[in-house]
Amino acid sequence: MTDIASNIISLKKEIPANVKLVAVSKTKTTDDILKAYNTGHRIFGENRVKELTEKGEFLPTDIEWHFVGHLQSNKVKHIAPLITMIQSVDTFRLLRIINKEASQVNKILDCLLQFHIAREETKFGFSMDEVKEMMGSEEFRLLDNIRLCGVMGMATFTDNHEQVREEFRCLYGYFNELKNKYFHDQSSFSEISMGMSGDYRIAIEERSTMIRIGSIIFGERM
Ligand SMILES: *Cc1c(COP(=O)(O)O)cnc(C)c1O
């Protein structure tokens, strides 16, 4: 068995059955992706449009692709035919464009609202006020080609476990508030995407439903 295959198998044994695993394959080759695919894994994440469309062309069509990076609105059309979920929706404007491009290809795209939870300045994401304003608008209700499935966030890159835990708790709090206010009758609003190679154990303790793992499966990136 390859390292990649055994890495993904042991990771799946470790995590609870209700936590989904997104194998983040950015910078890795299609051969590497196939090694994971051949263990039965189907959910993969990429963070660049060009890389995703190039790889997607050569890989099995039953892969469920998740987009996890900052997405420029003019590039949504390139990934709309291929993608299952966009985890990194960080503005209302982007959500409207995703809706438009999804309708062009006759599909309903699953989306997560990315929240800014880290102390670092550079991470993209909504604030709670922005999301509430969006939810209250007439325009939001007209979006028929997107399905909001939950929230996503990245914790600060730090060894301080308590800080990371606080940030994950904050994201869980956002999820809960949105669920109660706007989505209580929608079972599809159920995902809390948090946890990467360095912090997924804490994320799972803080009720993550979806972890996004690159390095542990595919090895360090250059
Ligand atoms: C790269 C990336 C990951 C995976 O990172 P690892 O630390 O390699 O597990 C997860 N989420 C996002 C948004 C990423 O860009």
Side-chain angles (χ1 to χ4, degrees):
M1 209 190 313
T2 66
D3 285 352
I4 290 172
S6 58
N7 291 346
I8 198 163
I9 288 166
S10 43
L11 187 59
K12 278 187 173 169
K13 279 197 187 122
E14 182 197 324
I15 66 177
N18 62 317
V19 176
K20 298 190 185 86
L21 172 64
V22 180
V24 179
S25 49
K26 63 190 187 197
T27 78
K28 302 297 173 181
T29 64
T30 51
D31 273 357
D32 287 345
I33 295 172
L34 281 172
K35 285 174 188 156
Y37 178 91
N38 288 333
T39 68
H41 192 74
R42 292 295 178 269
I43 310 177
F44 291 87
E46 289 282 343
N47 71 340
R48 298 211 191 287
V49 168
K50 191 159 177 283
E51 194 177 336
L52 169 63
T53 52
E54 283 173 1
K55 288 174 179 174
E57 204 181 324
F58 292 103
L59 287 162
T61 54
D62 64 344
I63 287 182
E64 186 181 306
W65 290 106
H66 288 214
F67 198 80
V68 300
H70 180 62
L71 181 55
Q72 286 171 274
S73 37
N74 60 331
K75 294 189 176 165
V76 177
K77 59 176 175 294
H78 301 301
I79 62 168
L82 195 63
I83 204 92
T84 299
M85 179 180 271
I86 297 176
Q87 297 207 2
S88 43
V89 179
D90 56 3
T91 61
F92 189 13
R93 175 166 181 268
L94 178 61
L95 191 65
R96 292 195 298 261
I97 290 165
I98 293 169
N99 184 74
K100 185 182 116 211
E101 298 301 342
S103 81
Q104 295 287 329
V105 292
N106 266 314
K107 64 197 249 189
I108 295 177
L109 268 172
D110 288 344
C111 293
L112 300 181
L113 301 173
Q114 181 174 358
F115 276 93
H116 180 93
I117 54 169
R119 288 203 191 152
E120 289 133 347
E121 283 291 322
T122 55
K123 307 234 159 112
F124 295 98
F126 277 105
S127 68
M128 197 58 171
D129 283 345
E130 289 168 334
V131 172
K132 284 179 180 163
E133 195 183 321
M134 173 172 85
M135 297 303 300
S137 77
E138 180 62 37
E139 231 186 327
F140 176 78
R141 264 165 278 156
L142 301 173
L143 304 180
D144 286 332
N145 290 83
I146 52 106
R147 184 189 296 119
L148 289 188
C149 296
V151 301
M152 185 273 245
M154 281 159 91
T156 305
F157 188 70
T158 172
D159 290 336
N160 184 341
H161 287 187
E162 275 318 301
Q163 185 184 338
V164 169
R165 190 178 294 282
E166 268 316 304
E167 292 171 357
F168 287 151
R169 277 190 188 160
C170 172
L171 186 62
Y172 179 80
Y174 291 155
F175 170 81
N176 232 359
E177 189 177 343
L178 292 175
K179 178 82 188 167
N180 292 333
K181 266 206 174 91
Y182 307 106
F183 297 100
H184 45 87
D185 56 353
Q186 284 175 46
S187 59
S188 52
F189 193 86
S190 59
E191 302 292 355
I192 306 163
S193 173
M194 58 186 189
M196 304 171 35
S197 292
D199 55 22
Y200 73 95
R201 289 195 173 105
I202 304 174
I204 290 170
E205 284 168 11
E206 298 304 328
R207 298 186 264 194
S208 169
T209 65
M210 196 181 260
I211 58 174
R212 310 176 309 270
I213 306 288
S215 324
I216 289 180
I217 297 169
F218 297 105
E220 293 296 322
R221 290 177 296 274
M222 293 301 137

